[in-house]
Amino acid sequence: MAKIGSRFKKIFEEAQRHPAYWMEDLRLQFLEGISAIMESQGITQKELADRMGVSEAYISRVFNDNVEKNFTLNTLVELSKAVNAEIKIIVTPKKAKGSDLLYQQEWFKLLQSLDNLNEYENVAHDETSSRQSHSHEDKSLKPVAA
């Protein structure tokens, strides 16, 4: 007789072969993010429904039903807009077994460095714009020789 753990592992591996498993995983990740934003902004499901122009029951179904019924790309976009969030989709190569954690850590470091670079570029752009506007102001204040 097989151990319970090994049976569960086989069932889990079988489930991972089906697109529905991955779709549900994506839905849950997305909704966890939306829920975290809602919580940080003090937004209730009722307020979210009002912002989207839908019923509170619809929002409840989106958060509680399976992926096939109420969760579309349109729903994803509308939910994001309603909480003033942006969607980022990252596609990565499939990981080799045994190196998942290391691989995830490396991707996390890469994403952090890209975010830091983007932040640096935004600050550098803001500083350049600020210097340019100050230099235009300085020129306009200089006396004109007669």
Side-chain angles (χ1 to χ4, degrees), residues 2-3 6 13 18 28-29 31 48-50 59 71-73 75 78 80 89 108-109 115 125 127 132 143 146:
K3 291 183 181 178
S6 64
E13 287 172 352
H18 299 280
L28 291 173
Q29 287 180 43
L31 291 174
L48 181 64
D50 291 343
I59 295 296
F71 196 78
T72 64
L73 288 175
T75 303
E78 291 298 324
S80 297
I89 298 174
F108 182 72
K109 287 178 192 174
D115 281 345
H125 175 73
E127 288 176 0
Q132 288 174 348

Side-chain angles (χ1 to χ4, degrees), residues 30-42 63:
F30 175 77
L31 291 174
E32 284 175 7
I34 293 294
S35 293
I37 291 170
M38 289 171 62
E39 185 175 325
S40 73
Q41 295 178 8
F63 277 85

Side-chain angles (χ1 to χ4, degrees), residues 112-128:
Q112 275 187 317
S113 66
L114 291 174
D115 281 345
N116 291 340
L117 178 61
N118 189 21
E119 204 171 290
Y120 173 77
E121 288 174 350
N122 288 339
V123 168
H125 175 73
D126 290 346
E127 288 176 0
T128 302

Side-chain angles (χ1 to χ4, degrees), residues 129-142:
S129 297
S130 177
R131 275 186 257 141
Q132 288 174 348
S133 67
H134 288 306
S135 66
H136 291 298
E137 291 170 8
D138 293 344
K139 288 178 186 175
S140 65
L141 296 176
K142 292 182 182 177

Side-chain angles (χ1 to χ4, degrees), residues 72-83:
T72 64
L73 288 175
N74 186 64
T75 303
L76 184 136
V77 170
E78 291 298 324
L79 282 166
S80 297
K81 286 174 39 182
V83 298

